[in-house]
Short mmCIF file of all heavy atoms in Angstrom, two decimals:
data_model
loop_
_atom_site.label_atom_id
_atom_site.label_comp_id
_atom_site.label_asym_id
_atom_site.label_seq_id
_atom_site.Cartn_x
_atom_site.Cartn_y
_atom_site.Cartn_z
N GLY A 1 88.15 103.67 127.01
CA GLY A 1 88.60 102.52 126.23
C GLY A 1 90.03 102.61 125.73
O GLY A 1 90.50 101.70 125.04
N ALA A 2 90.73 103.70 126.06
CA ALA A 2 92.12 103.83 125.61
C ALA A 2 92.97 102.74 126.26
O ALA A 2 92.78 102.38 127.42
CB ALA A 2 92.67 105.20 125.98
N ASN A 3 93.92 102.21 125.50
CA ASN A 3 94.76 101.13 125.98
C ASN A 3 96.20 101.40 125.58
O ASN A 3 96.49 101.56 124.39
CB ASN A 3 94.29 99.80 125.38
CG ASN A 3 94.97 98.59 126.02
OD1 ASN A 3 96.15 98.62 126.31
ND2 ASN A 3 94.20 97.54 126.24
N ALA A 4 97.07 101.48 126.56
CA ALA A 4 98.48 101.78 126.28
C ALA A 4 99.09 100.74 125.34
O ALA A 4 100.03 101.04 124.59
CB ALA A 4 99.28 101.84 127.58
N GLY A 5 98.55 99.52 125.36
CA GLY A 5 99.05 98.48 124.47
C GLY A 5 98.92 98.84 123.01
O GLY A 5 99.76 98.47 122.18
N ILE A 6 97.86 99.60 122.69
CA ILE A 6 97.68 100.05 121.29
C ILE A 6 98.81 100.99 120.89
O ILE A 6 99.36 100.90 119.79
CB ILE A 6 96.31 100.73 121.13
CG1 ILE A 6 95.18 99.72 121.36
CG2 ILE A 6 96.18 101.37 119.73
CD1 ILE A 6 93.79 100.31 121.32
N GLY A 7 99.16 101.89 121.80
CA GLY A 7 100.25 102.82 121.52
C GLY A 7 101.56 102.09 121.30
O GLY A 7 102.31 102.40 120.37
N LEU A 8 101.84 101.11 122.16
CA LEU A 8 103.08 100.34 122.01
C LEU A 8 103.05 99.52 120.73
O LEU A 8 104.07 99.38 120.04
CB LEU A 8 103.25 99.42 123.23
CG LEU A 8 103.63 100.13 124.53
CD1 LEU A 8 103.50 99.18 125.71
CD2 LEU A 8 105.06 100.67 124.45
N PHE A 9 101.89 98.98 120.40
CA PHE A 9 101.76 98.16 119.19
C PHE A 9 102.09 98.99 117.95
O PHE A 9 102.86 98.55 117.08
CB PHE A 9 100.34 97.60 119.09
CG PHE A 9 100.18 96.56 118.02
CD1 PHE A 9 100.39 95.23 118.32
CD2 PHE A 9 99.83 96.90 116.73
CE1 PHE A 9 100.25 94.25 117.35
CE2 PHE A 9 99.69 95.95 115.76
CZ PHE A 9 99.90 94.62 116.06
N PHE A 10 101.55 100.19 117.89
CA PHE A 10 101.81 101.02 116.71
C PHE A 10 103.22 101.61 116.73
O PHE A 10 103.75 101.99 115.68
CB PHE A 10 100.75 102.12 116.58
CG PHE A 10 99.53 101.64 115.85
CD1 PHE A 10 98.48 101.03 116.54
CD2 PHE A 10 99.44 101.74 114.47
CE1 PHE A 10 97.37 100.55 115.86
CE2 PHE A 10 98.33 101.26 113.78
CZ PHE A 10 97.29 100.67 114.48
N ALA A 11 103.82 101.67 117.90
CA ALA A 11 105.24 102.06 117.96
C ALA A 11 106.08 100.98 117.29
O ALA A 11 106.94 101.27 116.46
CB ALA A 11 105.67 102.26 119.41
N PHE A 12 105.82 99.72 117.63
CA PHE A 12 106.55 98.62 117.00
C PHE A 12 106.27 98.54 115.51
O PHE A 12 107.17 98.26 114.71
CB PHE A 12 106.20 97.29 117.68
CG PHE A 12 106.95 97.05 118.96
CD1 PHE A 12 106.34 97.29 120.18
CD2 PHE A 12 108.26 96.60 118.94
CE1 PHE A 12 107.03 97.07 121.37
CE2 PHE A 12 108.95 96.38 120.12
CZ PHE A 12 108.34 96.62 121.34
N TRP A 13 105.03 98.81 115.11
CA TRP A 13 104.68 98.78 113.69
C TRP A 13 105.48 99.82 112.91
O TRP A 13 105.84 99.63 111.76
CB TRP A 13 103.18 99.01 113.54
CG TRP A 13 102.69 99.61 112.25
CD1 TRP A 13 101.88 100.70 112.14
CD2 TRP A 13 102.90 99.16 110.90
NE1 TRP A 13 101.60 100.97 110.82
CE2 TRP A 13 102.21 100.03 110.03
CE3 TRP A 13 103.63 98.11 110.35
CZ2 TRP A 13 102.22 99.89 108.65
CZ3 TRP A 13 103.64 97.97 108.96
CH2 TRP A 13 102.93 98.85 108.13
N SER A 14 105.82 100.92 113.57
CA SER A 14 106.58 101.98 112.92
C SER A 14 107.98 101.54 112.51
O SER A 14 108.62 102.17 111.68
CB SER A 14 106.68 103.20 113.84
OG SER A 14 105.40 103.69 114.19
N TRP A 15 108.46 100.44 113.12
CA TRP A 15 109.80 99.94 112.80
C TRP A 15 109.76 98.78 111.80
O TRP A 15 110.79 98.41 111.26
CB TRP A 15 110.48 99.40 114.05
CG TRP A 15 111.43 100.33 114.69
CD1 TRP A 15 112.75 100.51 114.39
CD2 TRP A 15 111.16 101.21 115.77
NE1 TRP A 15 113.31 101.44 115.23
CE2 TRP A 15 112.35 101.89 116.09
CE3 TRP A 15 110.01 101.49 116.52
CZ2 TRP A 15 112.42 102.82 117.11
CZ3 TRP A 15 110.08 102.40 117.53
CH2 TRP A 15 111.28 103.08 117.82
N VAL A 16 108.61 98.19 111.63
CA VAL A 16 108.55 96.98 110.80
C VAL A 16 109.20 97.23 109.45
O VAL A 16 108.88 98.20 108.76
CB VAL A 16 107.09 96.52 110.62
CG1 VAL A 16 106.99 95.48 109.51
CG2 VAL A 16 106.56 95.94 111.92
N GLY A 17 110.12 96.36 109.09
CA GLY A 17 110.85 96.51 107.85
C GLY A 17 112.34 96.69 108.08
O GLY A 17 113.14 96.50 107.16
N PHE A 18 112.75 97.06 109.32
CA PHE A 18 114.18 97.25 109.56
C PHE A 18 114.94 95.94 109.34
O PHE A 18 116.11 95.95 108.95
CB PHE A 18 114.43 97.77 110.98
CG PHE A 18 114.38 96.70 112.05
CD1 PHE A 18 115.52 95.97 112.36
CD2 PHE A 18 113.21 96.44 112.74
CE1 PHE A 18 115.48 94.98 113.34
CE2 PHE A 18 113.17 95.46 113.71
CZ PHE A 18 114.30 94.73 114.02
N GLU A 19 114.26 94.81 109.57
CA GLU A 19 114.90 93.51 109.38
C GLU A 19 115.11 93.18 107.91
O GLU A 19 115.79 92.22 107.56
CB GLU A 19 114.07 92.42 110.05
CG GLU A 19 112.80 92.01 109.34
CD GLU A 19 111.68 93.05 109.42
OE1 GLU A 19 111.77 93.97 110.26
OE2 GLU A 19 110.73 92.94 108.64
N SER A 20 114.51 94.00 107.02
CA SER A 20 114.63 93.74 105.59
C SER A 20 116.05 93.95 105.08
O SER A 20 116.37 93.55 103.96
CB SER A 20 113.66 94.64 104.81
OG SER A 20 114.04 96.00 104.92
N SER A 21 116.91 94.57 105.88
CA SER A 21 118.30 94.79 105.44
C SER A 21 118.96 93.48 105.03
O SER A 21 119.71 93.43 104.05
CB SER A 21 119.11 95.46 106.56
OG SER A 21 119.09 94.65 107.74
N ALA A 22 118.65 92.40 105.76
CA ALA A 22 119.27 91.11 105.46
C ALA A 22 118.83 90.55 104.11
O ALA A 22 119.52 89.71 103.54
CB ALA A 22 118.96 90.11 106.57
N MET A 23 117.68 91.00 103.61
CA MET A 23 117.19 90.49 102.33
C MET A 23 118.08 90.89 101.16
O MET A 23 118.09 90.24 100.12
CB MET A 23 115.78 91.04 102.04
CG MET A 23 114.73 90.57 102.99
SD MET A 23 113.15 91.29 102.53
CE MET A 23 112.23 91.01 104.03
N TYR A 24 118.83 91.97 101.35
CA TYR A 24 119.64 92.48 100.25
C TYR A 24 121.08 91.98 100.32
O TYR A 24 121.96 92.51 99.63
CB TYR A 24 119.60 94.01 100.26
CG TYR A 24 118.19 94.55 100.18
CD1 TYR A 24 117.56 95.09 101.30
CD2 TYR A 24 117.47 94.47 99.00
CE1 TYR A 24 116.26 95.56 101.23
CE2 TYR A 24 116.16 94.93 98.93
CZ TYR A 24 115.57 95.48 100.05
OH TYR A 24 114.27 95.93 99.99
N GLY A 25 121.31 90.95 101.15
CA GLY A 25 122.66 90.41 101.30
C GLY A 25 123.25 89.91 99.99
O GLY A 25 124.40 90.18 99.67
N GLU A 26 122.45 89.20 99.20
CA GLU A 26 122.95 88.65 97.94
C GLU A 26 123.25 89.73 96.91
O GLU A 26 124.03 89.52 95.99
CB GLU A 26 121.94 87.66 97.35
CG GLU A 26 121.81 86.37 98.15
CD GLU A 26 120.86 85.40 97.48
OE1 GLU A 26 120.56 85.56 96.27
OE2 GLU A 26 120.39 84.48 98.17
N GLU A 27 122.60 90.90 97.07
CA GLU A 27 122.75 91.96 96.09
C GLU A 27 123.69 93.08 96.53
O GLU A 27 123.92 94.02 95.78
CB GLU A 27 121.36 92.56 95.77
CG GLU A 27 120.37 91.54 95.22
CD GLU A 27 118.95 92.05 95.27
OE1 GLU A 27 118.28 91.84 96.30
OE2 GLU A 27 118.50 92.65 94.27
N SER A 28 124.19 93.00 97.76
CA SER A 28 125.01 94.08 98.30
C SER A 28 126.49 93.78 98.18
O SER A 28 126.91 92.64 98.01
CB SER A 28 124.66 94.33 99.77
OG SER A 28 125.00 93.20 100.56
N ARG A 29 127.27 94.84 98.28
CA ARG A 29 128.72 94.70 98.27
C ARG A 29 129.20 94.43 99.70
O ARG A 29 128.80 95.12 100.62
CB ARG A 29 129.38 95.98 97.73
CG ARG A 29 128.81 96.43 96.39
CD ARG A 29 129.51 97.69 95.88
NE ARG A 29 128.73 98.26 94.78
CZ ARG A 29 127.99 99.35 94.87
NH1 ARG A 29 127.93 100.01 96.02
NH2 ARG A 29 127.30 99.80 93.84
N ASN A 30 130.04 93.45 99.86
CA ASN A 30 130.56 93.09 101.18
C ASN A 30 129.44 92.94 102.22
O ASN A 30 129.39 93.66 103.22
CB ASN A 30 131.55 94.17 101.65
CG ASN A 30 132.36 93.72 102.86
OD1 ASN A 30 132.27 92.58 103.29
ND2 ASN A 30 133.13 94.64 103.41
N PRO A 31 128.51 92.00 101.98
CA PRO A 31 127.33 91.86 102.84
C PRO A 31 127.65 91.55 104.30
O PRO A 31 126.88 91.93 105.18
CB PRO A 31 126.55 90.71 102.19
CG PRO A 31 127.56 89.95 101.41
CD PRO A 31 128.52 90.98 100.90
N LYS A 32 128.76 90.85 104.57
CA LYS A 32 129.10 90.51 105.96
C LYS A 32 129.34 91.76 106.80
O LYS A 32 129.19 91.74 108.02
CB LYS A 32 130.36 89.64 105.99
CG LYS A 32 130.27 88.36 105.16
CD LYS A 32 129.15 87.45 105.62
CE LYS A 32 129.16 86.15 104.81
NZ LYS A 32 128.00 85.30 105.12
N LYS A 33 129.71 92.85 106.16
CA LYS A 33 129.95 94.11 106.86
C LYS A 33 128.77 95.05 106.71
O LYS A 33 128.34 95.69 107.68
CB LYS A 33 131.22 94.76 106.32
CG LYS A 33 131.55 96.11 106.96
CD LYS A 33 132.81 96.71 106.37
CE LYS A 33 133.12 98.06 107.00
NZ LYS A 33 134.36 98.68 106.42
N ILE A 34 128.25 95.17 105.49
CA ILE A 34 127.21 96.15 105.19
C ILE A 34 125.90 95.84 105.91
O ILE A 34 125.29 96.73 106.51
CB ILE A 34 126.99 96.24 103.67
CG1 ILE A 34 128.12 97.04 103.02
CG2 ILE A 34 125.65 96.90 103.35
CD1 ILE A 34 127.99 97.15 101.52
N ILE A 35 125.45 94.60 105.84
CA ILE A 35 124.12 94.26 106.38
C ILE A 35 124.04 94.47 107.90
O ILE A 35 123.09 95.10 108.39
CB ILE A 35 123.73 92.82 105.99
CG1 ILE A 35 123.72 92.66 104.46
CG2 ILE A 35 122.37 92.47 106.58
CD1 ILE A 35 122.85 93.66 103.74
N PRO A 36 124.99 93.96 108.70
CA PRO A 36 124.92 94.23 110.15
C PRO A 36 124.96 95.72 110.48
O PRO A 36 124.21 96.19 111.35
CB PRO A 36 126.16 93.51 110.69
CG PRO A 36 126.44 92.44 109.70
CD PRO A 36 126.10 93.05 108.37
#
């Protein structure tokens, strides 16, 4: 019953949150440079 898709799914889950950098744009210094 092993499925490689499960492994890939949890690999992607391990990154979830990297997009949160943009959330701190209003609170960061020089967001146009820092956030990207």
Side-chain angles (χ1 to χ4, degrees):
N3 190 320
I6 295 176
L8 288 169
F9 191 90
F10 274 89
F12 279 100
W13 154 232
S14 301
W15 262 274
V16 167
F18 80 86
E19 75 287 345
S20 66
S21 58
M23 294 180 197
Y24 304 105
E26 291 183 18
E27 300 165 272
S28 65
R29 308 181 194 106
N30 193 6
K32 304 300 184 186
K33 178 181 179 181
I34 284 179
I35 301 305

